[in-house]
Amino acid sequence: MNAPVVPWQIRLEAPADMARVEALNAESFGPGRFAKSAYRLREGVSPIAALSFVAVENDVLRGSVRFWPIKVGGHEELLLGPLAVQSSQRGHGIGIALMQAGIAAAQQGPWRSILLIGDEPYYTKVGFSRLPPGRVKFPGPVDQNRILGLSLKAGEILNLSGQVRRAQIDEAVCADGAGVG
Ligand SMILES: CC(C)(COP(=O)(O)OP(=O)(O)OC[C@H]1O[C@@H](n2cnc3c(N)ncnc32)[C@H](O)[C@@H]1OP(=O)(O)O)[C@@H](O)C(=O)NCCC(=O)NCCS
């Protein structure tokens, strides 16, 4: 069966898209987004360019997804999000298509798994499932039922455990040789 014809295209985010992506995220999540646990993990860390995708229609930005590197129990993993679709364009499959593009690209890389904090009924559509409560600990208060994971290599989310930290902080600690337990 042929795939349905859609008016938008998914492509890698380019440097010229950055301002539009930031504006879409501001509009979709509001100023409260900076206080969220996931944003603390992104602070001062760049998204992974090879996993940042946009949906565009005639050069109009319709949606965006980015992935951040994080450390879980000392291993580098991925954090999905923000994922945002222009409010007038929701419900047409753009969010799912963006995530599928990102997940397919991530499967080509060295990572074992993707984590996110979000609504399970939505993210199960692309293969995420709830982690057993208490296995990973995000900074700040997080509803355990919203911690979801996806294995990029068979069964890897079952191996996830420990503190979730910002990637760069752990790298700096390692570089100093002054790691704390
Ligand atoms: C969440 C969001 C990205 C979804 O994008 P979208 O392009 O509308 O989603 P899709 O069209 O790919 O998927 C739509 C399907 O998912 C369902 N869905 C969407 N959001 C959902 C949610 N929060 N919980 C459960 N199901 C959801 C829809 O009901 C629809 O189901 P159907 O196909 O059975 O009718 C979009 O609504 C958005 O930008 N919201 C604001 C920002 C946000 O909350 N982002 C996610 C947190 S990081």
Side-chain angles (χ1 to χ4, degrees):
M1 205 171 74
N2 292 334
V5 177
V6 294
W8 34 267
Q9 291 179 311
I10 306 290
R11 63 160 170 78
L12 275 173
E13 181 185 328
D17 298 318
M18 192 188 289
R20 293 191 296 176
V21 169
E22 302 289 347
L24 175 63
N25 286 333
E27 179 192 306
S28 301
F29 297 100
R33 68 193 185 282
F34 297 114
K36 290 186 172 166
S37 182
Y39 268 86
R40 292 199 211 162
L41 293 165
R42 297 178 187 129
E43 219 171 3
V45 184
S46 299
I48 298 171
L51 306 181
S52 298
F53 288 88
V54 290
V56 287
E57 181 178 344
N58 298 326
D59 201 39
V60 176
L61 183 76
R62 297 301 194 200
S64 153
V65 69
R66 287 169 163 177
F67 291 75
W68 253 261
I70 50 171
K71 292 275 175 81
V72 183
H75 288 270
E76 186 160 303
E77 311 287 354
L78 295 172
L79 181 70
L80 188 155
L83 166 71
V85 172
Q86 210 180 29
S87 55
S88 62
Q89 303 297 318
R90 291 177 190 164
H92 301 305
I94 296 175
I96 299 282
L98 282 164
M99 288 193 286
Q100 286 172 335
I103 292 165
Q107 280 166 339
Q108 308 306 312
W111 305 281
R112 303 184 308 171
S113 63
I114 307 174
L115 286 183
L116 65 82
I117 302 168
D119 294 339
E120 186 185 17
Y122 183 56
Y123 293 101
T124 53
K125 293 174 188 286
V126 291
F128 281 85
S129 57
R130 206 186 288 186
L131 293 191
R135 284 282 295 282
V136 299
K137 187 154 178 18
F138 277 81
V142 172
D143 179 349
Q144 291 285 323
N145 294 328
R146 292 172 55 80
I147 300 179
L148 310 178
L150 173 79
S151 293
L152 293 168
K153 303 192 169 51
E156 287 289 5
I157 59 166
L158 301 175
N159 296 325
L160 285 178
S161 68
Q163 291 281 342
V164 182
R165 297 183 194 278
R166 272 199 292 180
Q168 276 182 352
I169 283 186
D170 282 339
E171 280 159 20
V173 167
C174 292
D176 282 339
V180 287

